[in-house]
Amino acid sequence: MKIREKILVIEDEQTIRNFMQAVLTANDYDVLLARTGAMGESMIASHCPDVIILDLGLPDVDGMEILRKVRRWSKVPIVVVSARTHERDKVEALDAGADDYLTKPFGTGELLARIRAAIRHTRTPIGSEAVANTGIFKAGDLTIDYAKHRVFIAGQDANLTQNEYKLVALLGLHAGKVLTYDYLIKELWGPSARSDNQILRVNMANIRRKIEQNPAQPVYIFTEVGIGYRMIEGD
Ligand code: CA
């Protein structure tokens, strides 16, 4: 029997709620709808949805506040939906623990793809199951060996420095997900580290020279401009 995932949509615009309900129901999800933040919060507590789609612009409370509150106690995947297009809004939402960010207007295909990705990531909390089981991340010619603390390209040691290795290893554990600059800096250099993206950029440039065939057109680690980096999903 197929388990139907429960998706809670917190959205005040009725047309969008109706659209989501139609699309998600047609794709075999159970859909719960909340039109205010307060309703949404009580439904999160009472229904334990598998995924939350959260509008930021709600009539009674800022969606960001809900996001922060939920993250204090739950790892449920949250896809933020917003008309806010500024990069800093995206960064703020991702830093606060959103799994993904959809900018209005968006299409059916994009909505479904983001939900599938969000669900995949909860099933495998630390990167892919393969990494958890074998200590090895593989994507194409790239291999991260977590036991040896080494990165190989087509079997050859890429000779990464310690910092470069830590950065690649972290991205590999969360392959497919954007890790923000702030998150990476805090993970790599501690919570009191200065939020200086320059040092990250220098490390990434060196990493790309070592692992990418053409550093200007990376195929393993992608830049999400103004936000952070994302490792390609593993094989
Ligand atoms: Ca709204």
Side-chain angles (χ1 to χ4, degrees), residues 174-217:
H174 300 274
K177 186 173 172 181
V178 181
L179 300 183
T180 64
Y181 297 129
D182 273 0
Y183 174 85
L184 289 167
I185 289 167
K186 295 206 160 50
E187 284 294 313
L188 294 175
W189 294 295
S192 56
R194 211 155 44 92
S195 278
D196 178 1
N197 299 350
Q198 183 57 27
I199 189 157
L200 265 186
R201 268 197 289 270
V202 170
N203 275 286
M204 188 52 69
N206 290 332
I207 289 166
R208 285 187 172 137
R209 254 197 304 279
K210 295 175 183 179
I211 70 168
E212 303 277 1
Q213 205 146 41
N214 178 359
Q217 286 185 316

Side-chain angles (χ1 to χ4, degrees), residues 11-13 55-58 104:
E11 168 65 72
D12 61 318
E13 280 173 67
D55 178 29
L56 291 188
L58 294 166
K104 291 178 184 174

Side-chain angles (χ1 to χ4, degrees), residues 101-230:
Y101 195 105
L102 266 171
T103 304
K104 291 178 184 174
F106 51 84
T108 310
E110 192 177 11
L111 172 67
L112 292 170
R114 304 289 180 108
I115 290 172
R116 280 195 302 271
I119 290 171
R120 247 194 340 264
H121 287 135
T122 46
R123 293 249 166 84
T124 55
I126 63 154
S128 71
E129 273 168 39
V131 175
N133 293 336
T134 63
I136 301 270
F137 173 86
K138 253 188 93 49
D141 280 343
L142 174 74
T143 303
I144 307 172
D145 187 325
Y146 285 90
K148 292 183 184 151
H149 284 244
R150 298 229 162 264
V151 171
F152 300 91
I153 282 291
Q156 299 286 330
D157 195 327
N159 288 316
L160 299 188
T161 66
Q162 205 176 352
N163 275 336
E164 291 162 7
Y165 169 78
K166 275 158 72 178
L167 184 48
V168 173
L170 194 56
L171 288 162
L173 278 181
H174 300 274
K177 186 173 172 181
V178 181
L179 300 183
T180 64
Y181 297 129
D182 273 0
Y183 174 85
L184 289 167
I185 289 167
K186 295 206 160 50
E187 284 294 313
L188 294 175
W189 294 295
S192 56
R194 211 155 44 92
S195 278
D196 178 1
N197 299 350
Q198 183 57 27
I199 189 157
L200 265 186
R201 268 197 289 270
V202 170
N203 275 286
M204 188 52 69
N206 290 332
I207 289 166
R208 285 187 172 137
R209 254 197 304 279
K210 295 175 183 179
I211 70 168
E212 303 277 1
Q213 205 146 41
N214 178 359
Q217 286 185 316
V219 299
Y220 296 118
I221 299 173
F222 305 101
T223 300
E224 300 283 337
V225 177
I227 300 175
Y229 297 111
R230 173 172 57 86

Side-chain angles (χ1 to χ4, degrees), residues 40-55:
E41 283 185 68
S42 89
M43 287 171 89
I44 293 167
S46 56
H47 289 83
C48 289
D50 298 303
V51 177
I52 298 168
I53 299 179
L54 175 65
D55 178 29

